[in-house]
Amino acid sequence: MGAICNSATDNYASAGIIGLNVALVLAERGLGSRVMVIAEHLPGDTSIKYTSPWAGCNFSAISGSDANALRWDRLGYAQLTRLESLEGEKSYIKRTPSTEFWDEDVPHDKIRAMSEYLEDFRILPSGELPKGVKFAVSFTTVTLNAPKYLEYLHRRLRDQHGVHFVRQRLSDIYAAFSDNNTRIVFNCSGNEAKTLGGVEDEKCYPTRGQVVLARAPGMRRNVMRHGKDYVTYIIPRPGSNGNVILGGYLQKGNGDGSTYSYETESILDRTKKLALELSENEPEILAVVAGLRPSREGGTRIQREHVIVHGLERSLVHNYGAGGTGFQAGYGMAIDAVQSVDDILSTLKSDKLRLKL
Ligand SMILES: Cc1cc2nc3c(=O)[nH]c(=O)nc-3n(C[C@H](O)[C@H](O)[C@H](O)COP(=O)(O)OP(=O)(O)OC[C@H]3O[C@@H](n4cnc5c(N)ncnc54)[C@H](O)[C@@H]3O)c2cc1C
């Protein structure tokens, strides 16, 4: 799950990047000690049922072009660059030079919106484009060491904001209200929203991606190539002493957690063509993994529902279906999810106020 808000505690959610962002936004409002994060998998764990540690992970133009996606990207970029400036290496986020190439289907509206806020944004002149590329941009992106960033957020929420973390598998979403003081539950259950009792959202499906973790210390920039039926990317991993994530795949509806050698070969072949740093110095393969992006027909669901549990009126806020963008969009999504219960949250005393009493 994302973040649950109880009333001794007041809110509840789960421990993927979506739930941690909800907990963060609540903590920034001074409600940290009222938040309980309940999850089967916590930062530091690995499981095919826990997508977040498998993310590449960067900010890119891969997200949608609808108004929400554009807004969440903007909020996410501002939050991640701010955190990098404040916390530096401790956060496992790094400002990194990035180039993105498109073979066709250039998302011009999205790129126009991104050009307004991305640092060092530039459209590459046609003379600089590689063969087969129609359009390209360069800018300063943020790259994240996904598993370490999750652990950083976990520590920060627990130690600085007093957020409670509980490892527990919930039989259904209503089990999150088992404490009668729990007034709000944020359902941030990722792929499990399809089967979780009380949610059972038929629109959810996984989008599989296989990636290669490799050692390539000479590779210090982010590169992506968006093709008609493929995506290739190279993402240096901050705080890893020269490791990179090489990808990838976007296999809609594929929930297979296995990895395949022919996919590894294709990833190595494609990424070496994209960067001389890799073709000139053979990357050392450290691991090959597959992850399942929690996707949803119609896009992300952020929606407040009124529910009656044990005869009490309660709020259930759904926040899932981030697909391939949970790290870059998660903070903006959390702001929307939290705002949807502003009427309840504004009646709660913040930690600051409670300390004064
Ligand atoms: C290969 C790959 C590359 C990616 N690259 C990027 C990238 O570069 N940038 C980017 O922004 N995004 C990227 N993503 C996408 C990103 O990883 C996802 O959007 C994000 O991790 C989704 O997070 P989540 O919190 O919704 O789900 P999850 O991380 O799966 O978390 C779900 C949580 O809910 C808990 N839970 C579920 N059901 C229950 C239950 N019944 N009881 C208790 N707990 C439960 C789980 O234990 C877990 O804590 C990538 C994904 C993949 C696979």
Side-chain angles (χ1 to χ4, degrees):
M1 298 294 106
I4 300 180
C5 299
N6 297 306
S7 200
T9 51
D10 280 278
N11 309 267
Y12 152 87
S14 61
I17 191 59
I18 301 303
L20 293 175
N21 269 306
V22 169
L24 182 64
V25 169
L26 290 166
E28 286 170 349
R29 288 179 66 148
L31 297 170
S33 69
R34 290 167 171 256
V35 177
M36 179 180 287
V37 174
I38 300 181
E40 180 177 14
H41 298 290
L42 295 168
D45 294 358
T46 52
S47 163
I48 192 64
K49 285 162 65 185
Y50 184 29
T51 302
S52 296
W54 307 123
C57 171
N58 68 7
F59 176 99
S60 78
I62 210 165
S63 49
S65 299
D66 58 283
N68 279 336
L70 297 183
R71 197 163 46 80
W72 294 335
D73 275 355
R74 192 180 195 122
L75 288 164
Y77 187 76
Q79 185 249 346
L80 292 168
T81 47
R82 191 170 59 238
L83 206 51
E84 199 255 9
S85 299
L86 287 173
E87 296 276 274
E89 288 179 2
K90 254 195 323 190
S91 65
Y92 291 93
I93 304 170
K94 192 168 169 29
R95 277 181 166 82
T96 308
S98 180
T99 310
E100 294 195 35
F101 300 105
W102 283 268
D103 296 357
E104 44 190 56
D105 298 332
V106 183
H108 284 296
D109 288 351
K110 167 160 213 82
I111 287 162
R112 203 170 304 118
M114 288 167 66
S115 71
E116 290 171 10
Y117 63 87
L118 290 178
E119 294 172 12
D120 309 312
F121 179 86
R122 188 169 81 95
I123 295 174
L124 268 61
S126 52
E128 286 182 29
L129 300 183
K131 196 166 164 251
V133 169
K134 198 168 181 179
F135 185 79
V137 296
S138 67
F139 57 95
T140 296
T141 192
V142 278
T143 51
L144 299 96
N145 182 329
K148 291 289 182 194
Y149 178 62
L150 295 169
E151 290 180 37
Y152 159 80
L153 278 183
H154 182 197
R155 274 194 306 277
R156 193 171 155 180
L157 289 166
R158 186 192 57 201
D159 302 342
Q160 288 180 25
H161 296 287
V163 172
H164 306 272
F165 284 82
V166 173
R167 185 188 294 281
Q168 186 190 339
R169 176 163 178 82
L170 297 172
S171 51
D172 62 57
I173 196 65
Y174 298 108
F177 289 101
S178 63
D179 178 340
N180 275 353
N181 287 322
T182 301
R183 293 163 65 182
I184 309 167
V185 167
F186 292 90
N187 165 29
C188 311
S189 51
N191 279 311
E192 291 230 10
K194 190 176 178 85
T195 49
L196 182 64
V199 184
E200 290 153 319
D201 187 340
E202 283 296 320
K203 293 183 177 163
C204 294
Y205 62 89
T207 300
R208 180 180 174 278
Q210 177 164 316
V211 292
V212 177
L213 174 69
R215 183 160 159 71
M219 189 74 223
R220 297 200 187 92
R221 58 197 180 100
N222 183 92
V223 192
M224 294 188 78
R225 183 156 175 170
H226 308 269
K228 186 165 183 278
D229 51 10
Y230 72 90
V231 62
T232 303
Y233 50 87
I234 304 165
I235 308 176
R237 184 162 255 201
S240 69
N241 202 20
N243 296 345
V244 295
I245 289 287
L246 309 176
Y249 286 90
L250 285 167
Q251 295 162 336
K252 197 175 165 180
N254 185 338
D256 183 358
S258 310
T259 57
Y260 297 94
S261 57
Y262 64 88
E263 291 191 344
T264 300
E265 280 161 29
S266 165
I267 289 169
L268 289 173
D269 182 50
R270 285 184 279 139
T271 51
K272 281 181 192 169
K273 285 185 182 138
L274 211 51
L276 274 180
E277 296 93 318
L278 297 179
S279 56
E280 287 177 350
N281 293 297
E282 187 65 28
E284 179 195 347
I285 298 180
L286 303 174
V288 178
V289 295
L292 306 176
R293 301 169 181 90
S295 309
R296 183 172 179 272
E297 282 164 39
T300 303
R301 180 182 184 200
I302 299 180
Q303 189 179 16
R304 175 178 174 173
E305 221 185 296
H306 295 277
V307 291
I308 306 286
V309 190
H310 310 308
L312 300 166
E313 275 194 42
R314 294 296 178 235
S315 291
L316 172 59
V317 182
H318 300 286
N319 184 10
Y320 60 82
T325 66
F327 284 79
Q328 69 183 69
Y331 186 77
M333 288 165 60
I335 287 180
D336 283 6
V338 167
Q339 258 169 14
S340 77
V341 280
D342 220 12
D343 54 322
I344 305 174
L345 295 174
S346 58
T347 66
L348 303 177
K349 287 196 180 79
S350 71
D351 294 342
K352 227 175 174 175
L353 288 172
R354 288 208 304 182
L355 283 176
K356 279 188 190 155
L357 289 174

